Amino acid sequence: MSVRPFASLRGYRRSWLLSDATAGLMLVAIALPGQLATARLAGMPAEAGLIAFAAGSIAFAAFGGNRFISAGADSTIAPIFAGVIAAMAVSDPARHLQLAATLALLVGAILVIAGSLKAGWLANLLSVPVTTGFLAGIAIHIVVGQLPAILGVPAPNPEAHLLLRLVDVLQRVPVANFYATTIGIAVLAITIGAHWLGPRIPGALLGLVVAGLATWHFGLAERGVETLGALSAIVPTISLPLVGLGDLIGLLPLAGTVALVCMMQTAAVARSFPSTKGVADDVSRDFVGVGAGSLIAGVTGAFAVNASPPSTAVVVEAGGRSQAAQLLAVAVIALLAATAGAAAAYVPRAALDAVLVYIALRIFRLGDMIRIARRSAGEIVLVVASVLLIVLLPIQLGVGFAIMLSLLHSTYLLARPLSARLERLKGTTIWWPPNSRVPSESIPGVLVFAPAAPITFINAEYIQGQLDKALAETKDVRLVVVEASGVTLIDYTGAESFIDKIARLRSNGIDVALARLEASRATAAAQRSGLIDALGADHVFHSVEEAVQRLAATGR
């Protein structure tokens, strides 16, 4: 895969500068509080969140393809790896940093390799219902994890089960710190209210500023309100994290899980905000951009990055035209950290955690759940199952099982495809599954059978069984026409099964024809496997009607 650096900036026009500057400043207002809060969620210093944002933004501008995507520290993946790294670090902050950086390098390498191999299809391994449930489960983890700081109470044992931690926190509500709780609720209300008023209002940043001013003016730090602490203006240095082989091997499964989630989210953002309206972006190249961001983050002391849906939406809504908006945001945040980092000493942790709760509410997609329940009642079970897996199991294990659930669901759909008997709509030459709303007719002695799926080793036997069932329900069949418009692929096992079925049907006096095999891959496979020879070239037709008229009339 050939990647031209900074392709998103090629052909840049001076007329875009004002739009990009506006979008960059809006991105600062949204990203700054989010990056600080996500660093806390990942168990990392606040500065690491800013470094991750810089790494993600610069790398994506250099190697990504989409003109709008904003990459940086992400609250979707942070809960997945934070607990695992914390357990491996055994309360050693230096080791925690080393493990997080190592994980970033592994995730970055996986994403760059996947992008280079044009593996954008991997993003489709998670179905929408499973993704919705997965994000809802992550949201619950985020909320439970932030409640102690918002209430101003000691955090429970991080290694305890999520539900036990929730019970522990709720039991401490009577002794909650009034000031911390008030700040948390106020910042959450300001953030939500600003979002309702308009996407360009930086509610999270306004909330942090108000909370910081209140903490400074009323001396709330002396009243038990925990604060973030001043940001250091240290320039990131490049170094490779030093961990043992055992740690490296132990992080590999986690890296694969995080990388897959990054692929899923990056693809979703790219499809929601394409560089050119109506034209799909090269998602594989976007994988390279996000992966490069994680690689840079790993060697500069930060953690894995991801494409951010809310930050990208802000860039688009503010009129951004290119990755110059993200680069400007990096420069502004770096300037603020260098000149006003001391002000962070007054930012309450309750305020940051309230921002995370807001993010959690955004990724808990209740509207999507309602739509899934209304339009596909069976698949709401997948949503609920994914939520339960993430909530009841250790989060990294739950994510892995949620991915497996999505794969099992897709495998089941392929293994048990819809196979319909077709009838001709009256007065037309259209063959369609019979229903009570449209009158249709069958032709005596003719069965039109439509397997609406690729015919492969996983479903060949099932499709044969469905055909046998249709034969049993149809009287005196002399001709079977297989309507193959839904057959996009035929593998060796499927072809052999089909050839065997043709021979057995013809031995029983039932002729077989094939109609509308349109997919080029399936047509090539049918010819290569001998399926066309078994049917006979004169038994392959462009339409069902042609097959019925030709063969039913002649009795062949």
Side-chain angles (χ1 to χ4, degrees):
M1 177 181 181
S2 176
V3 176
R4 298 170 64 190
F6 294 99
S8 67
L9 296 177
R10 293 183 184 277
Y12 194 84
R13 303 173 187 174
R14 279 185 292 181
S15 59
W16 295 357
L17 188 57
L18 180 59
S19 296
D20 279 338
T22 303
L25 293 176
M26 285 299 305
L27 180 58
V28 170
I30 297 297
L32 181 58
Q35 299 299 289
L36 294 174
T38 303
R40 173 169 165 74
L41 184 62
M44 300 285 285
E47 294 86 353
L50 303 184
I51 294 172
F53 177 72
S57 298
I58 294 171
F60 196 91
F63 301 107
N66 187 283
R67 292 191 291 117
F68 306 119
I69 283 180
S70 174
D74 178 59
S75 57
T76 303
I77 61 174
I80 299 174
F81 65 76
V84 178
I85 289 176
M88 293 176 66
V90 196
S91 301
D92 182 347
R95 180 166 161 76
H96 189 109
L97 295 176
Q98 292 285 322
L99 290 171
T102 302
L103 178 68
L105 292 175
L106 292 173
V107 170
I110 293 171
L111 288 172
V112 169
I113 292 171
S116 300
L117 295 177
K118 291 286 189 179
W121 57 270
L122 288 171
N124 298 321
L125 293 179
L126 289 176
S127 66
V128 171
V130 170
T131 300
T132 302
F134 156 78
L135 291 175
I138 293 291
I140 293 171
H141 271 274
I142 292 173
V143 171
V144 172
Q146 310 327 302
L147 283 178
I150 292 175
L151 295 174
V153 298
N157 180 4
E159 296 183 11
H161 190 276
L162 178 71
L163 299 181
L164 294 178
R165 284 188 279 136
L166 176 60
V167 171
D168 183 281
V169 172
L170 294 178
Q171 289 175 340
R172 297 175 186 267
V173 169
V175 296
N177 184 297
F178 171 79
Y179 302 103
T181 304
T182 301
I183 287 171
I185 294 174
V187 171
L188 182 60
I190 291 172
T191 308
I192 293 174
H195 176 72
W196 283 346
L197 291 174
R200 295 193 179 191
I201 300 176
L205 184 61
L206 289 174
L208 291 189
V209 171
V210 170
L213 290 173
T215 302
W216 167 72
H217 183 72
F218 295 108
L220 298 183
E222 299 173 1
R223 303 187 184 190
V225 175
E226 187 181 3
T227 58
L228 176 62
L231 297 177
S232 64
I234 299 175
V235 177
T237 58
I238 297 177
S239 63
L240 286 173
L242 300 176
V243 298
L245 180 60
D247 289 333
L248 198 63
I249 295 174
L251 288 172
L252 276 175
L254 178 62
T257 300
V258 173
L260 184 56
V261 174
C262 288
M263 292 180 200
M264 175 266 298
Q265 186 158 301
T266 299
V269 175
R271 289 164 186 161
S272 300
F273 305 102
S275 294
T276 303
K277 191 173 182 179
V279 179
D281 283 333
D282 182 358
V283 175
S284 295
R285 175 158 187 168
D286 294 334
F287 290 174
V288 174
V290 174
S294 284
L295 290 175
I296 295 175
V299 297
T300 53
F303 48 95
V305 304
N306 195 7
S308 170
S311 294
T312 304
V314 165
V315 171
V316 174
E317 291 164 356
R321 304 298 299 272
S322 74
Q323 288 291 326
Q326 285 80 342
L327 296 177
L328 175 63
V330 171
V332 172
I333 288 178
L335 181 63
L336 290 174
T339 60
Y346 296 102
V347 176
R349 289 193 179 274
L352 282 177
D353 285 11
V355 173
L356 283 173
V357 170
Y358 167 73
I359 293 172
L361 295 177
R362 290 286 303 273
I363 67 176
F364 193 97
R365 299 173 179 173
L366 182 59
D368 288 351
M369 296 180 195
I370 294 172
R371 281 189 291 273
I372 291 169
R374 287 176 177 172
R375 299 176 183 178
S376 182
E379 291 189 83
I380 193 64
V381 176
L382 295 174
V383 177
V384 175
S386 298
V387 173
L388 293 176
L389 285 171
I390 302 296
V391 169
L392 298 180
L393 296 177
I395 188 167
Q396 73 280 5
L397 189 60
V399 170
F401 275 114
I403 293 171
M404 290 179 59
L405 178 64
S406 184
L407 295 176
L408 287 173
H409 177 234
S410 61
T411 301
Y412 176 79
L413 293 177
L414 183 60
R416 294 292 182 269
L418 176 66
S419 299
R421 180 177 60 84
L422 306 184
E423 292 185 354
R424 185 167 58 192
L425 301 184
K426 284 191 174 181
T428 74
T429 59
I430 299 172
W431 290 77
W432 206 260
N435 62 76
S436 58
R437 296 187 302 275
V438 182
S440 59
E441 60 185 358
S442 58
I443 305 300
V446 176
L447 169 63
V448 179
F449 178 76
I455 301 177
T456 67
F457 70 95
I458 200 172
N459 61 19
E461 185 176 344
Y462 175 80
I463 292 174
Q464 278 205 31
Q466 293 298 102
L467 176 56
D468 289 338
K469 182 179 178 181
L471 285 166
E473 295 172 350
T474 308
K475 295 181 180 180
D476 302 323
V477 176
R478 299 187 303 277
L479 171 66
V480 172
V481 180
V482 178
E483 201 274 359
S485 61
V487 180
T488 57
L489 175 68
I490 304 174
D491 73 357
Y492 177 82
T493 304
E496 287 295 303
S497 174
F498 205 161
I499 291 170
D500 180 66
K501 191 65 176 179
I502 292 169
R504 285 191 284 117
L505 287 174
R506 285 178 173 170
S507 68
N508 291 326
I510 301 174
D511 201 3
V512 183
L514 187 66
R516 298 194 63 192
L517 185 65
E518 300 167 356
S520 57
R521 287 179 66 189
T523 301
Q527 293 172 339
R528 188 170 53 250
S529 65
L531 175 58
I532 300 300
D533 291 338
L535 280 165
D538 59 343
H539 278 59
V540 179
F541 299 91
H542 290 97
S543 71
V544 173
E545 185 67 18
E546 181 187 7
V548 171
Q549 292 296 333
R550 182 82 57 82
L551 299 181
T554 61
R556 291 175 58 192

